[in-house]
Amino acid sequence: MPLRWKIAALAAATACLVALAVGVLVHVWTAMDIRSRAGMEATNTVYSATDVYRRTGTLAGGAELDPAELPTALRHPADGDRRVAYDGRVEGNLGPSVWGAQRVGGAGSPVLAVRINMSPQLHDLRRLDASMAVASLLSLAAALPLAVYGAGLVARRLRRVAGTAARISAGDLDARTGPALGHARGRDEVTDIAATVDLMADSLGRRLRIERQFTADVAHELRTPVGGLLAATDLLPPGETEDLLRARVRDLRGLVEDLLEISRLDAGAEAPVRARVPLAAVVAEAVARTGLDTEVGVAEGPGAAHAPTAETVETVETVETVETDPRRLERIVGNLVINAHRHGRTPVRVTVEGRTVIVRDHGPGFPTDLLLDGPRRFRTGATERGAGHGLGLTIALGQARVLGAELRLDNAPDGGAVATLHLPR
């Protein structure tokens, strides 16, 4: 149930309880007042009627001597004792009554009694109850839309704050709740939450900028000494040691170049140079540059694909021409193929389906945390897929964003990792 309806239901329930409590209190107080007034009237009437009877011997004010309907509690009053009792019996047109009684003389003398009928007052009480019920229903009918509207305002502001938080979670650290809430007057819990979300975004933005700046500074600082190391390896005498050192220095240079590329992607300094190119041919060239044994295929229909090996990728026919940056497209496909060979198992297949490129291996698949949170830089853990420095997938995702493409990472139902690159039209 939406929050606005919960608040409205709570407001309606509270209003009903208040109306019920007020109605019960008014009913009880009015009923007690009616009985009290009837008792006072009975007492006064008995006093006057007794005085008249003693002086003139006649009954006045509806008084009776020893009436048959007199309640038992009033049949034997003491001399001069004036009593009042409530009688809830309903007889004919007479409803609940209050009796007043007093003995007119000494012991053995008759009892003079007066009956005060409360039917008119009780009828007025029932009308009062009905009027209060109608007034409560009308008030509830008028208050409920106001409660729904007020709750809707609060819920709408909360949804805007939640939407801003979702944008921040998705990576838009420039999103703020101020424009979403407008110029709210005063402060309440919603504005406090919004301010906290903005502070969180500011803190995350500062930390991310510091991390990106650190990555860029480290890459720039390492570039010169790594270049010097690579030049120095040329001075070493040929041999196994020289080959090993040269390979390690080249790996280090590749890492530095990856860091520089990531820093440019983070800074938004990359812009695509678009051209119309045959998609299948560009993909085949990117796979061939990796030098890895990879099957490349072009989908010819649902469930069918032409799948030559890497040694015959030049025979792939062009089935789709796209407008994109071919260098960045080759970078994405190459990184995905290298990642599939490094962390998956053969056979590795690359399939072109229209404007979509699918890279599939038959290894253990992507880890769950990678699918949930995306690739993380400098990931460690040699037993998991994505171990090592973990920059290949990060670069592929960054270059895909530059191209305006969508890169999805998933696991196949029968095992293996699947990377799907969909180019925009």
Side-chain angles (χ1 to χ4, degrees):
M1 182 184 295
L3 179 61
R4 64 183 301 179
W5 294 112
K6 292 182 179 179
I7 297 178
L10 179 60
T14 303
C16 290
L17 290 176
V18 171
L20 179 63
V22 172
V24 170
L25 289 176
V26 170
H27 176 87
V28 171
W29 181 86
T30 305
M32 292 177 62
D33 183 66
I34 290 174
R35 290 185 60 175
S36 176
R37 290 176 180 274
M40 293 177 61
E41 183 180 355
T43 301
N44 294 333
T45 303
V46 166
Y47 176 81
S48 300
T50 302
D51 182 64
V52 171
Y53 183 79
R54 286 175 176 174
R55 287 188 292 105
T56 64
T58 60
L59 298 175
E64 300 178 63
L65 294 177
D66 294 327
E69 299 86 1
L70 187 65
T72 304
L74 301 180
R75 290 187 178 277
H76 306 286
D79 296 343
D81 187 13
R82 192 178 300 115
R83 293 184 181 182
V84 176
Y86 173 76
D87 184 6
R89 294 175 296 177
V90 178
E91 299 175 355
N93 296 328
L94 296 177
S97 306
V98 173
W99 288 85
Q102 182 178 356
R103 195 176 296 278
V104 296
S109 62
V111 175
L112 185 145
V114 175
R115 184 175 188 177
I116 304 299
N117 184 17
M118 296 190 302
S119 295
Q121 292 84 353
L122 294 179
H123 178 69
D124 292 339
L125 178 60
R126 287 191 290 271
R127 291 179 60 186
L128 176 63
D129 292 340
S131 299
M132 291 192 62
V134 172
S136 299
L137 291 177
L138 292 177
S139 301
L140 181 61
L144 187 58
L146 294 177
V148 173
Y149 176 74
L153 293 179
V154 175
R156 191 178 304 116
R157 296 171 66 197
L158 289 174
R159 281 196 300 269
R160 291 174 180 173
V161 174
T164 302
R167 290 171 55 193
I168 295 173
S169 177
D172 183 8
L173 298 184
D174 294 329
R176 294 295 182 271
T177 58
L181 292 182
H183 301 286
R185 297 181 180 179
R187 292 186 62 86
D188 54 19
E189 288 77 3
V190 178
T191 56
D192 290 340
I193 294 174
T196 304
V197 171
D198 288 345
L199 289 175
M200 177 191 68
D202 293 337
S203 177
L204 290 176
R206 285 194 300 268
R207 292 186 181 185
L208 185 58
R209 285 192 295 271
I210 293 173
E211 178 186 342
R212 290 174 175 175
Q213 187 61 43
F214 175 76
T215 301
D217 292 343
V218 168
H220 281 290
E221 293 296 330
L222 288 177
R223 193 172 191 179
T224 299
V226 169
L229 283 175
L230 188 60
T233 57
D234 295 334
L235 303 178
L236 295 175
E240 182 178 352
T241 302
E242 185 266 345
D243 293 338
L244 180 61
L245 183 59
R246 184 183 295 274
R248 293 295 178 264
V249 173
R250 286 176 178 172
D251 290 342
L252 183 58
R253 183 179 66 175
L255 175 59
V256 172
E257 294 297 332
D258 287 346
L259 288 175
L260 286 173
E261 184 174 357
I262 287 178
S263 66
R264 291 193 300 270
L265 291 171
D266 289 340
E270 296 286 316
V273 180
R274 299 186 182 277
R276 296 200 66 83
V277 294
L279 178 59
V282 174
V283 171
E285 179 65 21
V287 174
R289 287 179 182 275
T290 65
L292 301 172
D293 184 13
T294 306
E295 298 179 2
V296 182
V298 178
E300 300 174 349
H306 170 61
T309 62
E311 289 76 7
T312 60
V313 292
E314 65 275 4
T315 64
V316 176
E317 299 178 356
T318 301
V319 296
E320 184 79 21
T321 301
V322 296
E323 184 176 350
T324 187
D325 188 329
R327 181 183 66 83
R328 298 183 191 278
L329 179 58
E330 288 185 7
R331 179 71 161 148
I332 296 172
V333 175
N335 278 14
L336 294 178
V337 171
I338 292 173
N339 185 78
H341 278 278
R342 180 177 297 170
H343 304 294
R345 284 196 296 268
T346 57
V348 176
R349 297 191 180 96
V350 180
T351 306
V352 179
E353 298 181 358
R355 309 177 70 85
T356 302
V357 181
I358 303 172
V359 180
R360 161 78 187 276
D361 66 47
H362 292 76
F366 292 114
T368 302
D369 57 347
L370 186 146
L371 296 177
L372 292 176
D373 304 326
R376 290 178 289 175
R377 306 169 191 180
F378 304 105
R379 181 183 179 88
T380 59
T383 61
E384 296 185 33
R385 181 188 179 92
H389 53 73
L391 300 181
L393 290 179
T394 302
I395 292 174
L397 287 169
Q399 294 290 7
R401 284 193 295 269
V402 173
L403 294 180
E406 180 185 10
L407 178 58
R408 298 195 307 270
L409 306 179
D410 204 351
N411 291 327
D414 56 345
V418 181
T420 305
L421 177 68
H422 181 71
L423 297 175
R425 292 189 179 277

